[in-house]
Amino acid sequence: MKIRFFSIMTALFVLLTFTSNSMSQDLQDDPQQDDFYDGVKVKPEKILPKDVYVLDIAFSPDGNHLAVVGDFGILLYDTRIVDKPIKIEENTGIVRSVAFSPDGKVIASALLHGTIRLLDSNTGELIQTINARTRKEDKKLLIIGVSCSPDGNTIISRHNGQVDKTIRLWDIDTGKLLRTLSGHTRRISGMAFCPESKIIASGSYDHTVHLWDADTGKLLHILSGHTRFVYSVAFSPDGRVIVSGSSDKTLRLWDVNTGYLLHSLTNEAIHSANSVAYSPDGGTIASYDGFVIFLWDVKTGKILRKFRERYRVTGGMKVVFSPDSRTIASLGYNEVNLWNVNPGRHLRTLISGNKNVPSLKVIESKSN
C-alpha cells in the first residue's frame, strides 16, 4: 500500500512539474498576450497577479529609474523613493527586453512578436516602431534581447535561435536595418556594446564569444574556451576587457584587442553564471546563477560578497549595477530586488509576482 501511495504521489509531482513548465513556455511563446492595465500610476501588487512573468530590467543612465518589463508591459520605478511605479502604456504584447538610450530620453522595448518600440521615457509617447519581420523567412522571428549603442544612433537585437542566430543593427532614427552579424551556429544568449569603441560582443550556446566591428560587420575575434553555453557578456567601463558567464561554472575575462584569455574565475559554490555585469567603477564583477549573486574583486579574482536570492522558477534572470556602482538590481524568481553593494544589504523588493516565498539575505564571504 505504501509503495502504491508513493508511486501515485511521484506521478502527480511529475505531472504538476510538466504542466507548470508547459504553461511557462506557452506564455513566453504567445505573441498575442495582452499586457494593458488601466491607470498611469499603479501599485505593484495591483498590477502583478501571481502568475505573471517579469522578463528584463534596466537602469536609466542617471540611475534614478529602473525599467521593469514582462508580459504586463513596462513599469518605471523611481529608485530614490518607495513609491508607485509609472506605467508606460504604449506597448502591446509580451515585452521581452528593455534598454535606455545613453541620454535617458528614449526607452527601447523589444516585443516578443518581432517589433522594437522606441518610447519617450518622460511621456511614454511612441517615437518609432521597428518591424523585424520584414522578410518571408522572418515570419516566426521572436526578439528576445535589445541594446542601444553608446552614441545613441543604433539599436541591436537578438532573436530566438531556432529561427535566427544573428544580431541585427537598426538605425534608431529611420528604423531601417543597417546590417546583420552572422557567424554563431547556435542561439545568441547575450550581447553588449563596448562603451569606448564600436565593438559588439555576443555570447552563444555554441560555447563561444564573438567580437564584431559595428561599422563594418566584420568578425574581429572568436573567443573560445568555455565548455558549455555562454549565457551573458559584459564590457569593462574602459572597453579593454570583456567578461563572459557560462553554464560551465566559470567567468572568463578576455582582452578585447587581442582576444586572449586573461583570467578565469570560478568557485565550488557556483552553479552557473547566467548573468554577469561589470561595475561602472571597474572594480567589481557581479554574477548570478539563479541561487546566489556573487560579487568578485576584479584585481584578485576573489569573491567579496554573496547575496542570497531565491531560486528562479519563472521569468527572466539578470543582475545590473546602478551607474554609481553603489546599488545592484537583480531579476530572479519573478521579482526585482535592490541591493546595497557595500557593506551589503537587501534594500527592498520593487516588484514580485510571487507569494509566500522565503526571505532574502546577504552572506558575507569569509574564505574565498
Side-chain angles (χ1 to χ4, degrees):
M1 186 71 177
K2 291 183 178 179
I3 295 176
R4 184 180 178 185
F5 174 77
F6 177 77
S7 300
I8 293 173
M9 293 303 294
T10 301
L12 180 60
F13 173 77
V14 172
L15 177 61
L16 289 174
T17 302
F18 175 79
T19 303
S20 175
N21 290 340
S22 298
M23 290 176 64
S24 173
Q25 187 63 42
D26 289 344
L27 178 57
Q28 293 184 33
D29 288 345
D30 180 10
Q32 303 302 323
Q33 179 71 22
D34 189 17
D35 71 334
F36 276 113
Y37 292 83
D38 293 331
V40 176
K41 287 191 175 183
V42 285
K43 292 183 179 179
E45 59 266 27
K46 294 286 181 73
I47 280 221
L48 289 180
K50 188 175 180 181
D51 297 324
V52 300
Y53 293 84
V54 187
L55 297 173
D56 198 15
I57 54 176
F59 269 110
S60 61
D62 61 9
N64 292 336
H65 294 91
L66 187 77
V68 180
V69 303
D71 62 345
F72 48 84
I74 304 176
L75 296 178
L76 200 60
Y77 285 84
D78 191 320
T79 58
R80 299 163 294 180
I81 57 176
V82 179
D83 198 6
K84 302 172 185 179
I86 299 172
K87 173 70 177 181
I88 305 295
E89 294 187 330
E90 286 291 343
N91 271 295
T92 57
I94 299 174
V95 185
R96 183 60 181 84
S97 182
V98 66
F100 280 90
S101 62
D103 61 9
K105 295 180 179 180
V106 177
I107 295 176
S109 64
L111 274 69
L112 195 64
H113 62 245
T115 61
I116 300 169
R117 294 166 74 92
L118 306 181
L119 308 170
D120 186 298
S121 61
N122 291 318
T123 66
E125 180 183 356
L126 179 64
I127 301 171
Q128 176 77 262
T129 298
I130 299 173
N131 181 17
R133 294 181 176 178
T134 56
R135 305 174 303 173
K136 184 178 181 180
E137 55 265 38
D138 293 332
K139 184 178 180 180
K140 296 183 178 180
L141 183 74
L142 305 178
I143 300 179
I144 58 175
V146 67
S147 185
C148 189
S149 64
D151 61 11
N153 296 326
T154 307
I155 294 289
I156 58 175
S157 62
R158 60 185 178 90
H159 319 95
N160 50 322
Q162 299 90 338
V163 176
D164 189 282
K165 303 174 182 65
T166 70
I167 289 178
R168 300 187 187 187
L169 285 72
W170 310 88
D171 187 287
I172 201 168
D173 292 324
T174 66
K176 292 183 178 180
L177 179 65
L178 298 174
R179 62 191 55 87
T180 300
L181 309 181
S182 303
H184 284 293
T185 58
R186 300 188 69 179
R187 170 183 174 178
I188 295 175
S189 46
M191 63 183 185
F193 251 111
C194 181
E196 295 297 327
S197 64
K198 293 188 176 182
I199 294 178
I200 296 172
S202 57
S204 170
Y205 279 21
D206 64 14
H207 307 178
T208 69
V209 176
H210 288 189
L211 298 183
W212 312 83
D213 185 307
D215 284 336
T216 65
K218 179 183 178 182
L219 179 61
L220 302 174
H221 298 291
I222 297 178
L223 313 182
S224 301
H226 284 294
T227 58
R228 299 192 69 182
F229 299 160
V230 177
Y231 284 131
S232 181
V233 292
F235 282 97
S236 62
D238 61 10
R240 296 179 180 179
V241 178
I242 186 167
V243 59
S244 55
S246 169
S247 58
D248 66 8
K249 303 181 181 182
T250 68
L251 287 76
R252 294 176 184 253
L253 280 70
W254 313 83
D255 185 289
V256 172
N257 290 327
T258 65
Y260 292 160
L261 178 65
L262 300 174
H263 302 288
S264 183
L265 309 180
T266 190
N267 184 278
E268 61 183 10
I270 295 177
H271 294 83
S272 181
N274 296 68
S275 178
V276 294
Y278 235 111
S279 65
D281 63 14
T284 310
I285 292 173
S287 67
Y288 181 33
D289 67 358
F291 295 89
V292 178
I293 298 169
F294 297 87
L295 296 186
W296 304 80
D297 186 289
V298 172
K299 291 183 179 179
T300 65
K302 294 184 178 181
I303 294 177
L304 299 171
R305 194 166 292 111
K306 306 174 187 178
F307 298 161
R308 175 70 68 185
E309 267 277 18
R310 294 184 271 264
Y311 178 60
R312 182 190 73 92
V313 178
T314 54
M317 189 189 306
K318 193 173 184 180
V319 61
V320 292
F321 279 95
S322 62
D324 63 6
S325 301
R326 298 172 61 183
T327 305
I328 284 178
S330 64
L331 164 59
Y333 200 77
N334 224 13
E335 66 182 30
V336 178
N337 290 288
L338 294 181
W339 307 82
N340 177 272
V341 173
N342 190 17
R345 64 188 176 94
H346 179 242
L347 297 175
R348 66 183 186 272
T349 299
L350 286 184
I351 194 169
S352 178
N354 307 288
K355 298 178 181 178
N356 301 320
V357 289
S359 61
L360 302 161
K361 61 181 178 179
V362 175
I363 310 168
E364 290 291 345
S365 178
K366 297 181 180 179
S367 62
N368 293 298

